Amino acid sequence: MNSDHEREKLNTETKVVAVGRPAKKPDGGLNPPIALNSTFHTGGPIGYARSGNETWSALEDAISSLEGGKTLIFSSGMAAIGAILSILPSKAIIVAAKNGYQGTTNILKNLQESEKLIVRFVDPTNTKEILAAIPGSQIIHLESPVNPLLDIIDLPQVIKFAKESGAGVSIDNTFATPMNQNPLAMGADICMHSVTKYLSGHSDVLLGSLSTNDPALYSRLEQARKYGGAIAGPFEAWLALRGIRTFAIRMQRSQENALELAKRLASDPRVSKVRYPGLASDPNHLVAKSFMKGFGAMISFEPKGTPDQVDLMCDSSKLITNATSLGGVESIWERRRRWETESETIPVNLIRFSVGIENVDDLWADIQSALNAAKIS
Ligand SMILES: Cc1ncc(COP(=O)(O)O)c(C=O)c1O
């Protein structure tokens, strides 16, 4: 890619293929090397492997091309969140969802209990409550769609209000992905990812990222990474970059499958409730449509019957894997309340379903046979 300007003009499907490549030279490889060094000769900008790595830079460049700003990668999504929290002053006030991704909620609860941070937990479905909690806070950290209920936060309104109130804004864009929304373009200070999920896409690495347009913030987060030490392995970074090459096409296919399966589940009498922001009947459809380009590939639904029957259903599928995590090429589901750490506000029968890229009719047949195996009627 010759210039930032040239690459800005490219569409997502092209960027993911073109960006993060080594400079063209005779017999130079198309892909960056997996740079396995802890130690470097003096005189260069890296010096020691906790500060930088050639393979990371390629991945960071690719994520920046999708999200904007400048990117830092971390050893996991949680490590990326940890870096944000580590740069807040002690007893800073943070606004976060009371039932978002449980890892985030739990670390915030722990920091609240040890009096390191003051957390204003809000109902992410209630825009008024979010807005009321913002004045006086240092930062808001929110995700949308919210894991696992798939509620949509009115991000343009919330981000604008937070910036006007002087609060920093960090948005976890893991579920929506840069195919569907770009938090930095909406005014957020930080766009965070569990790169483990859609960006990598093959359920084989753990990685996280933070992107920002603010050079001072970038440098504080870079220091947090360097001294916190939660750095990515070069091999994982290389795998994620390889995964990103097909991110756009995977996401398109998973989203098409998700919409179709959400429609079919919604008309199945054995299912009492379906949440997918792309369904016209979803309570958040209109707000989602107002700013998202697509609706993602996660569905939440509640089969009828007992939690034991729902566990049996999740275990009886032959194609869909009963497992935690999401965003891979393979479809995965699980009953969320099987985890003791999951919030009690999540319905006991709720299945979180990460829809993969398989044939949609094969997936539907698998869902039907799992419902039958669990005798759900
Ligand atoms: C929305 C969201 N944010 C952050 C994380 C944490 O990411 P990681 O597992 O890569 O640490 C997850 C993991 O499931 C997630 O779903």
Side-chain angles (χ1 to χ4, degrees):
M1 203 65 9
N2 290 335
S3 69
D4 286 354
H5 180 64
E6 263 180 308
R7 90 184 203 178
E8 282 293 300
K9 287 194 303 195
L10 297 174
N11 293 297
T12 304
E13 298 89 330
T14 316
K15 280 182 186 166
V16 292
V17 175
V19 175
R21 305 273 184 193
K24 185 172 158 187
K25 65 174 184 203
D27 269 349
L30 267 68
N31 296 302
I34 303 170
L36 294 170
N37 286 296
S38 63
T39 312
F40 301 86
H41 291 288
T42 50
I46 298 180
Y48 186 58
R50 219 172 337 94
S51 308
N53 173 287
E54 212 181 320
T55 325
W56 299 355
S57 305
L59 175 61
E60 289 170 342
D61 198 22
I63 298 175
S64 298
S65 81
L66 299 176
E67 287 293 11
K70 248 179 108 178
T71 299
L72 292 159
I73 59 159
F74 291 81
S75 54
S76 67
M78 285 312 295
I81 293 173
I84 301 172
L85 300 177
S86 78
I87 64 167
L88 296 177
S90 112
K91 297 210 172 18
I93 300 174
I94 176 165
V95 176
K98 63 177 156 214
N99 52 2
Y101 169 59
Q102 55 156 332
T104 311
T105 320
N106 290 334
I107 182 89
L108 288 173
K109 278 186 186 154
N110 291 348
L111 290 168
Q112 167 118 301
E113 266 165 38
S114 56
E115 297 183 3
K116 295 202 172 79
L117 289 179
I118 298 164
V119 191
R120 291 180 181 164
F121 282 113
V122 291
D123 173 357
T125 63
N126 186 337
T127 308
K128 269 196 194 149
E129 192 178 317
I130 303 177
L131 298 185
I134 290 174
S137 66
Q138 246 89 16
I139 187 166
I140 65 170
H141 177 82
L142 294 169
E143 62 196 42
S144 177
V146 185
N147 182 5
L149 281 172
L150 306 182
D151 287 308
I152 301 296
I153 297 176
D154 187 344
L155 288 180
Q157 191 185 353
V158 168
I159 294 173
K160 184 167 177 283
F161 183 77
K163 293 314 298 170
E164 283 165 5
S165 309
V169 177
S170 161
I171 302 294
D172 181 336
N173 209 26
T174 304
F175 270 43
T177 85
M179 281 290 281
N180 298 321
Q181 69 192 20
N182 291 116
L184 295 184
M186 289 185 230
D189 300 289
I190 299 174
C191 168
M192 178 256 145
H193 274 280
S194 168
V195 178
T196 313
K197 317 296 188 201
Y198 291 101
L199 294 178
S200 296
H202 294 77
S203 306
D204 51 9
V205 296
L206 246 76
L207 284 173
S209 70
L210 300 177
S211 306
T212 179
N213 279 314
D214 176 342
L217 182 56
Y218 174 89
S219 135
R220 290 176 68 205
L221 292 168
E222 189 179 30
Q223 295 265 322
R225 179 177 71 177
K226 181 158 123 187
Y227 299 121
I231 59 160
F235 184 50
E236 281 77 1
W238 192 91
L239 281 174
L241 185 62
R242 186 184 160 113
I244 278 189
R245 301 288 177 223
T246 54
F247 159 68
I249 199 161
R250 282 188 280 107
M251 199 62 206
Q252 277 154 6
R253 172 58 172 260
S254 290
Q255 285 191 165
E256 277 165 27
N257 280 353
L259 177 60
E260 182 57 30
L261 291 178
K263 283 183 186 161
R264 293 188 196 183
L265 284 166
S267 59
D268 191 309
R270 292 169 295 178
V271 174
S272 61
K273 197 164 183 186
V274 180
R275 291 300 309 271
Y276 180 67
L279 279 182
S281 57
D282 190 272
N284 288 165
H285 181 61
L286 287 182
V287 65
K289 225 169 97 173
S290 71
F291 70 93
M292 295 179 77
K293 289 185 230 142
F295 305 105
M298 299 297 299
I299 300 175
S300 286
F301 68 102
E302 292 167 53
K304 293 179 178 165
T306 64
D308 282 347
Q309 278 178 291
V310 178
D311 281 337
L312 181 61
M313 173 187 167
C314 288
D315 231 16
S316 304
S317 50
K318 305 261 175 347
L319 287 176
I320 306 167
T321 307
N322 184 12
T324 204
S325 200
L326 57 119
V329 287
E330 58 286 295
S331 293
I332 288 178
W333 61 13
E334 67 171 339
R335 189 177 68 85
R336 282 303 294 177
R337 287 286 297 280
R338 76 191 173 95
W339 298 103
E340 274 177 19
T341 45
E342 184 57 275
S343 162
E344 285 182 9
T345 58
I346 306 305
V348 278
N349 275 5
L350 182 127
I351 293 179
R352 188 185 71 179
F353 183 12
S354 168
V355 181
I357 65 169
E358 302 93 335
N359 176 283
V360 72
D361 292 324
D362 291 340
L363 288 174
W364 182 242
D366 198 37
I367 295 170
Q368 294 294 305
S369 80
L371 280 162
N372 291 339
K375 299 194 174 18
I376 293 175
S377 53

